[in-house]
């Protein structure tokens, strides 16, 4: 490598170095390490929950589902938890229930 580095060839200068690791290969290794770390932490949490007598609670973020333990809160289209609003019309004195999970353009409303 030292002999051919910085030599002229076809009007250009050669630069020879050791090959670098592939980005995709490094990314796959990082993802495997993160997955292994996550599995270790979840098993540790399960043991802790069993010792304390707690319940492991996982909620799926499905749009329109209510949040357990919180009245008038729902999961939105993008997985965020939003309150259900009760709006009062000034002229008709009618209360309108506005569920943000049913609308995709909340800012316009």
């Amino acid at each position: 490598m030292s002999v051919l580095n910085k030599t002229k060839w076809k009007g250009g200068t050669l630069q020879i170095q050791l090959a670098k690791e592939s980005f995709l290969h490094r990314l796959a290794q990082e993802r495997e390490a993160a997955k292994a770390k996550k599995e270790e932490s979840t098993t540790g949490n399960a043991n802790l929950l069993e010792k304390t007598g707690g319940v492991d609670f996982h909620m799926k973020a499905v749009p329109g589902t209510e949040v357990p333990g919180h009245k008038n809160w729902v999961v939105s289209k993008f997985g965020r938890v939003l309150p259900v609003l009760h709006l009062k019309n000034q002229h008709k004195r009618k209360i309108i229930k506005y569920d943000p999970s049913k609308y995709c353009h909340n800012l316009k409303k």
Side-chain angles (χ1 to χ4, degrees):
M1 278 187 355
S2 61
V3 173
L4 296 176
N5 193 19
K6 296 185 181 179
T7 58
K8 299 255 182 197
W9 188 67
K10 291 189 178 181
T13 305
L14 294 177
Q15 184 176 6
I16 300 175
Q17 298 174 343
L18 287 173
K20 295 180 182 177
E21 184 181 13
S22 169
F23 169 76
L24 295 175
H25 181 65
R26 190 180 79 231
L27 183 64
Q29 287 179 341
E30 289 175 0
R31 286 182 178 168
E32 287 176 9
K35 185 178 178 182
K37 184 177 179 183
K38 184 178 179 182
E39 287 176 358
E40 290 175 7
S41 66
T42 56
T43 56
N45 290 341
N47 293 337
L48 180 64
L49 285 171
E50 290 172 1
K51 289 177 185 176
T52 58
V55 177
D56 191 12
F57 176 75
H58 293 286
M59 185 177 123
K60 292 185 179 181
V62 179
T65 57
E66 294 183 3
V67 179
H70 299 295
K71 187 178 178 184
N72 295 327
W73 285 79
V74 293
V75 178
S76 73
K77 179 180 176 183
F78 299 107
R80 293 180 289 235
V81 179
L82 300 173
V84 175
L85 302 175
H86 296 280
L87 305 172
K88 184 177 180 183
N89 192 341
Q90 292 179 351
H91 303 291
K92 297 180 183 177
R93 297 181 187 256
K94 183 179 178 184
I95 297 176
I96 301 169
K97 184 177 178 182
Y98 174 73
D99 187 355
S101 67
K102 302 215 185 317
Y103 301 98
C104 62
H105 302 291
N106 292 334
L107 295 177
K108 290 182 181 179
K109 305 265 184 195

